[in-house]
Amino acid sequence: MDSFCFCIFNILIIIILLLSFHQSESQSTHLLDLMIRDYTFRNFKLNLNTGITQKIILPSNFSGIDIDTVKLRCGSLRRYGAKLGEFNIGSGVTVEPCPERVMLIRQNLGSNWSSIYSTGYNLTGENYQLVSPVLGLLAYNANPDGVATNPYEVNVVGTDQNPILIDFLSNKSSIDPSPKETMKKNSSVLCACFTRNGNTTFSQQVSPYVCKGIRQGHYALVMKTEAQKDDHDSEGGGVVTSSTEVNGTNGGGKLSRWKVAVGSVIGSGIGAILLGMLVVAMLVKVKKKAVREEMERRAYEEEALQVSMVGHVRAPTASGTRTLPRMADDRYKHTHLNK
């Protein structure tokens, strides 16, 4: 019974993981972040002073990705902000949780590796294309005398008044050399923020080549394709603010939603059935345990009371160890003989 319950529990865990993988479109990007994090922590110079930027060289199979990292005091990061590559973190940001040291890792995925965001976040299906490499800024906990042995991601959150600015012009390699040198604010080029849950949010540039972010993550400059621009001009609409709104006007997006809905319903039904089987198995196990304890209790009482059959009735019997009674005449005779 224990092995059966364990098997059912494992099946439930597998189904939950499959559903999570099915509904998330950014699994490959998250795995890339973890790889960069682990390689950065392994190759960070422990004797490097706080606040000094270090460049990390990745293996040859990840060529084209440019990595910079810096270790900062959490309190200093909150009070004064920081600048790392194209990212300018304003003062007054919130760091949750706030360890003693914070490790910032800046990513420039280049033209080759940026395509996994275009594919994973379905920019082509939404009639958008990348016009810059994807830039990432991630924060992790760190120890004062080195990097953390068990790193976890730290949330760096800004506000509209104290945002995180991403200046794509600060690094010429961050701009596509295609003829976009005259990109200005409110042009067809937008800022794209790729969220961890698989969605994409779009916003206008705050100035040419500069985007504004509220938290750490991945950003890029994107441009509408001709089909999207024609639809935009004919409808006279404004800026699309999220990928769900784009999907709402795209047949492929509706089909994807339908598939996700059907998959979620089927998965939820299977999960409910297996969960019910697990509950039934646990109830059966509890009942059997109660019956076994009752049988043990009865066996103990029968052994203590020496139950025997009297006709058709079970009744306790006492052992014959009591002192036998003596007649009063015997005691009288014994007393007079002694005199």
Side-chain angles (χ1 to χ4, degrees), residues 218-238:
H218 294 84
Y219 298 86
L221 294 175
V222 298
M223 184 180 63
K224 301 183 185 72
T225 58
E226 293 300 325
Q228 179 73 5
K229 284 195 287 187
D230 292 341
D231 295 339
H232 177 78
D233 295 338
S234 62
E235 295 176 2

Side-chain angles (χ1 to χ4, degrees), residues 222-332:
V222 298
M223 184 180 63
K224 301 183 185 72
T225 58
E226 293 300 325
Q228 179 73 5
K229 284 195 287 187
D230 292 341
D231 295 339
H232 177 78
D233 295 338
S234 62
E235 295 176 2
V239 176
V240 179
T241 58
S242 69
S243 62
T244 55
E245 294 179 7
V246 177
N247 285 337
T249 59
N250 186 284
K254 293 181 180 179
L255 181 59
S256 299
R257 289 182 183 179
W258 180 81
K259 290 181 179 180
V260 171
V262 173
S264 300
V265 171
I266 295 175
S268 300
I270 297 175
I273 294 173
L274 293 177
L275 181 60
M277 294 174 62
L278 178 62
V279 171
V280 171
M282 293 178 65
L283 291 176
V284 171
K285 181 179 178 181
V286 171
K287 185 176 180 181
K288 286 187 175 182
K289 182 178 179 181
V291 172
R292 184 173 65 252
E293 291 178 350
E294 178 66 17
M295 293 176 63
E296 292 176 354
R297 184 183 64 82
R298 290 183 178 179
Y300 175 78
E301 292 178 352
E302 291 176 358
E303 180 180 357
L305 296 178
Q306 297 183 2
V307 177
S308 61
M309 295 296 296
V310 180
H312 297 285
V313 179
R314 295 169 61 89
T317 59
S319 59
T321 60
R322 293 182 299 172
T323 303
L324 296 175
R326 301 179 65 180
M327 299 300 293
D329 293 339
D330 294 338
R331 289 197 300 270
Y332 176 79

Side-chain angles (χ1 to χ4, degrees), residues 69 80 103 135 139 168 184 189 220 257 260 271-272 275 287 308:
T69 184
Y80 308 113
M103 178 81 73
L135 304 179
F168 289 85
K184 301 296 181 182
V189 175
R257 289 182 183 179
V260 171
L275 181 60
K287 185 176 180 181
S308 61

Side-chain angles (χ1 to χ4, degrees), residues 17-34:
L17 292 176
L18 289 175
L19 288 176
S20 300
F21 182 82
H22 175 71
Q23 294 178 355
S24 176
E25 299 175 340
S26 57
Q27 293 296 322
S28 58
T29 60
H30 181 55
L31 293 177
L32 179 62
D33 290 339
L34 294 178

Side-chain angles (χ1 to χ4, degrees), residues 1 23 30-31 39 50 54 73 88 94 103 117 126 128 146 170 172 175 188 199 209 222 244 247 319:
M1 184 59 65
Q23 294 178 355
H30 181 55
L31 293 177
Y39 197 85
T50 300
Q54 177 185 347
R73 291 180 179 272
N88 189 358
T94 302
M103 178 81 73
Y117 278 83
E126 298 173 1
Y128 280 88
S170 63
K172 294 299 182 181
I175 298 298
S188 59
N199 294 327
Y209 300 104
V222 298
T244 55
N247 285 337
S319 59

Side-chain angles (χ1 to χ4, degrees), residues 145-157:
D145 55 348
V147 296
T149 56
N150 186 23
Y152 55 84
E153 189 169 349
V154 176
N155 294 320
V156 180
V157 183

